Amino acid sequence: MIDKLEFFIALANQKHFGRAAEECGVTQPTLSAAIRQLEDQLGVMLVSRGSRFQGLTPEGQRVLEWARRIVGDSRTMREEMRAARKGLAGHIRIAAIPTALAMVQKITTPFQERHPDVTFSILSRNSLQVLSLLENLEIDAGITYLENEPLGRVTSVPLYAERYHLITAAGSPFSERETVTWKEVGDLRLCLLTADMQNRRIINRHLAEAGATARPTLESNSMIVLFSHVQTGRWASIMPKNIADSFGFPADIHKIPITEPDAEHLVGLVATHREPFTPLVSALLHEARLLAEEDENR
């Protein structure tokens, strides 16, 4: 039953029998047969079928909720027993918003020093994707904004507050100013994150509140792309100060606080709310709390 539920979750995530079978490491006929057996055991149709996958039935949507809960508990049990035998080991999958990627090492580095048999995968995703991956059991934890948009049923640990700065080259407008307003930066030649990023929605909102409109001449979902264009001197950008600091800009790139308002937005670690957590997620949450306490004491 657990294997069949794993297959069903994969099919719901991939929305394609072939891709789901590949993810599960089985043939497509094997996965299709397992789904039909699951339907026979439960006495309901779970999948709308035609020549291809057409979605889940209402019963399938309800079973998906149970499947995630049961499979999550099963994984927790197996991991807890493995930890009892061998100590903490395994693999942690984390998805982080682009503006938080540079700080992930503040969690993973001390964690790996304490638990050397644990490995990591770090993905860059927007905030909605982080929550979707978490719900679908495709990641173990995420790093995202905590306050601006609904998070659902998660456990969260606040890590730091983003504070926004104009990042611009020497000799460009406002480069010698101590502060600049949101209304003023709205008139600059900007490169910004794409509209699907919550950071961009936050920036759009603050600009609109100041009576300005974001009209970037370049957009990207990569902070590295934005950094490289700012360094040409032809573009400016609006970035959280912490990530600008992490890239070590040369002296001719200026970071100027944006005021009116002096905005900040909380970023933190999120994990699916469940009791008990897997040993790996429990240890990761503990590491995040230690980091947050260190930042508070500075």
Side-chain angles (χ1 to χ4, degrees), residues 234-256:
R234 292 182 55 81
W235 279 271
S237 190
I238 300 170
M239 298 181 184
K241 183 177 184 297
N242 60 301
I243 192 167
D245 288 343
S246 71
F247 271 78
F249 275 131
D252 59 348
I253 300 296
H254 295 198
K255 295 170 285 191
I256 305 161

Side-chain angles (χ1 to χ4, degrees), residues 188-231:
L188 296 176
R189 181 186 179 93
L190 294 173
C191 57
L192 299 173
L193 287 174
T194 50
D196 62 319
M197 299 291 177
Q198 191 173 162
N199 171 269
R200 173 65 182 279
R201 295 194 290 275
I202 289 170
I203 288 171
N204 286 353
R205 186 171 80 241
H206 288 308
L207 287 170
E209 289 167 351
T213 302
R215 297 188 184 92
T217 58
L218 185 144
E219 297 177 317
S220 176
N221 62 0
S222 166
M223 296 301 296
I224 293 175
V225 170
L226 301 187
F227 284 133
S228 65
H229 281 80
V230 169
Q231 288 182 305

Side-chain angles (χ1 to χ4, degrees), residues 139-154:
I139 58 172
D140 303 293
I143 299 177
T144 187
Y145 295 99
L146 299 185
E147 301 172 320
N148 303 289
E149 297 176 359
L151 292 175
R153 195 163 181 264
V154 300

Side-chain angles (χ1 to χ4, degrees), residues 109-128:
T109 300
F111 187 101
Q112 221 272 332
E113 288 173 353
R114 279 186 251 274
H115 310 290
D117 293 328
V118 175
T119 58
F120 291 91
S121 293
I122 311 297
L123 305 174
S124 176
R125 296 290 186 270
N126 67 40
S127 58
L128 296 178

Side-chain angles (χ1 to χ4, degrees), residues 4 7 11 16-22 24-39 49:
K4 292 169 189 172
F7 292 168
L11 179 60
H16 187 278
F17 280 93
R19 290 194 298 269
E22 184 178 352
C24 296
V26 299
T27 64
Q28 183 171 331
T30 297
L31 183 133
S32 298
I35 299 298
R36 289 192 183 279
Q37 290 167 12
L38 184 61
E39 290 175 325
R49 295 176 179 85

